[in-house]
Amino acid sequence: NSSFNALLKTLEEPPSHVKFLLATTDPQKLPVTVLSRCLRFQLKRIQDQDIALQLEKILTAESISFDVEALKLIAKAGDGSMRDALSLLDQAIAYGGQSVQYQATHEMLGLIDTQYLVRVLQALAVKESDALLQALGSLKANGLDYYRFLEDLIDAFHLLTMIQLSTEFAESESDELRALADLFTAEDLQLFYQVALNGRKDLQNHPNSEVGFEMTLLRMILFAPHAPVGVES
């Protein structure tokens, strides 16, 4: 506050050749006396596709080889911030030995292998509890961050819903994802999304995270409108 008060006089009568740009992620912490003397612009989150395109331009200008799918991973991890995405891009270049490739970027970000996610989604789509438990067994054998996997599932349910609802959105996604979206009903995706949200919240308080995670996924099948294979209705 003392610093802002010292700045206030200069803001009120600035030299003609000086322009002030004040940037903050906590505008509520600025004194009203300062805010009242500013033109305020609320910067919006940048869309993932726009971040990926900018990263592509940078790498092309720097003559660094890259995989477009790797840039999509970085853009998503940037969470709407170009600054964060650029930091991750620097890490990916170093991690990949002056090349940004999908597998290396996937490992750098600590993401779960998509093959396991697809297996779980396929089992959920047809509501086969045996197939689901087998997929979970493979996951646990390779080390599993239960909380992170639920986050990935939540993102996947949202993505599949968007593919179902928007033809334009679907055209920008892979054939594998479009085929996966066809396996689900819109109602099941909404139910699974809600169960995953609640399961992620409950997981932190569960005495056994493995049991809590398994019960969350089995709940999706058991609560679905149609009886799953191997379970009497």
Side-chain angles (χ1 to χ4, degrees):
N1 285 336
S2 298
S3 299
F4 276 120
N5 289 334
L7 176 65
L8 190 57
K9 182 63 176 177
T10 309
L11 286 176
E12 289 177 332
E13 300 177 5
S16 58
H17 64 283
V18 174
K19 304 295 182 185
F20 287 96
L21 292 176
L22 308 180
T24 179
T25 54
D26 294 307
Q28 67 277 5
K29 293 184 179 180
L30 272 64
V32 176
T33 51
V34 171
L35 289 174
S36 65
R37 289 163 174 79
C38 296
L39 289 175
R40 182 171 174 180
F41 300 94
Q42 190 74 26
L43 301 182
K44 298 179 181 179
R45 292 164 56 90
I46 305 175
Q47 296 296 316
D48 289 354
Q49 58 266 34
D50 293 331
I51 292 178
L53 284 174
Q54 184 63 22
L55 298 181
E56 185 173 341
K57 289 180 182 178
I58 293 171
L59 293 175
T60 300
E62 296 292 334
S63 300
I64 297 175
S65 63
F66 62 89
D67 185 339
V68 173
E69 293 302 316
L71 300 188
K72 290 181 180 179
L73 292 179
I74 294 173
K76 182 179 179 182
D79 195 26
S81 168
M82 183 63 72
R83 177 190 61 190
D84 291 348
L86 289 173
S87 296
L88 290 172
L89 181 64
D90 283 338
Q91 294 178 37
I93 293 171
Y95 190 88
Q98 300 304 303
S99 174
V100 182
Q101 301 303 319
Y102 178 83
Q103 191 58 43
T105 303
H106 198 278
E107 293 173 359
M108 182 202 77
L109 294 172
L111 301 177
I112 294 169
D113 196 324
T114 53
Q115 66 168 317
Y116 297 120
L117 186 62
V118 169
R119 284 183 61 189
V120 169
L121 288 169
Q122 289 173 337
L124 289 173
V126 295
K127 304 181 180 70
E128 289 187 355
S129 55
D130 287 341
L132 177 61
L133 291 174
Q134 289 176 6
L136 294 182
S138 298
L139 272 170
K140 287 183 286 186
N142 286 274
L144 173 63
D145 182 336
Y146 301 110
Y147 193 86
R148 181 64 176 270
F149 191 83
L150 282 178
E151 286 185 337
D152 286 350
L153 269 182
I154 290 168
D155 288 343
F157 294 142
H158 168 258
L159 179 62
L160 296 176
T161 299
M162 293 300 295
I163 290 174
Q164 289 184 350
L165 295 179
S166 172
T167 303
E168 182 179 353
F169 187 92
E171 289 175 351
S172 66
E173 298 300 329
S174 66
D175 292 339
E176 182 182 35
L177 281 173
R178 289 197 294 269
L180 198 55
D182 290 337
L183 297 177
F184 289 89
T185 65
E187 293 78 10
D188 280 349
L189 284 176
Q190 293 304 306
L191 173 64
F192 297 164
Y193 177 85
Q194 194 61 48
V195 172
L197 275 179
N198 291 332
R200 186 184 63 165
K201 181 174 62 177
D202 295 340
L203 198 61
Q204 294 175 325
N205 300 320
H206 201 286
N208 187 320
S209 58
E210 179 180 326
V211 172
F213 175 75
E214 287 184 352
M215 287 299 292
T216 295
L217 295 189
L218 290 172
R219 197 176 296 132
M220 295 178 190
I221 291 179
L222 295 170
F223 285 3
H226 305 292
V229 176
V231 177
E232 295 182 1
S233 57

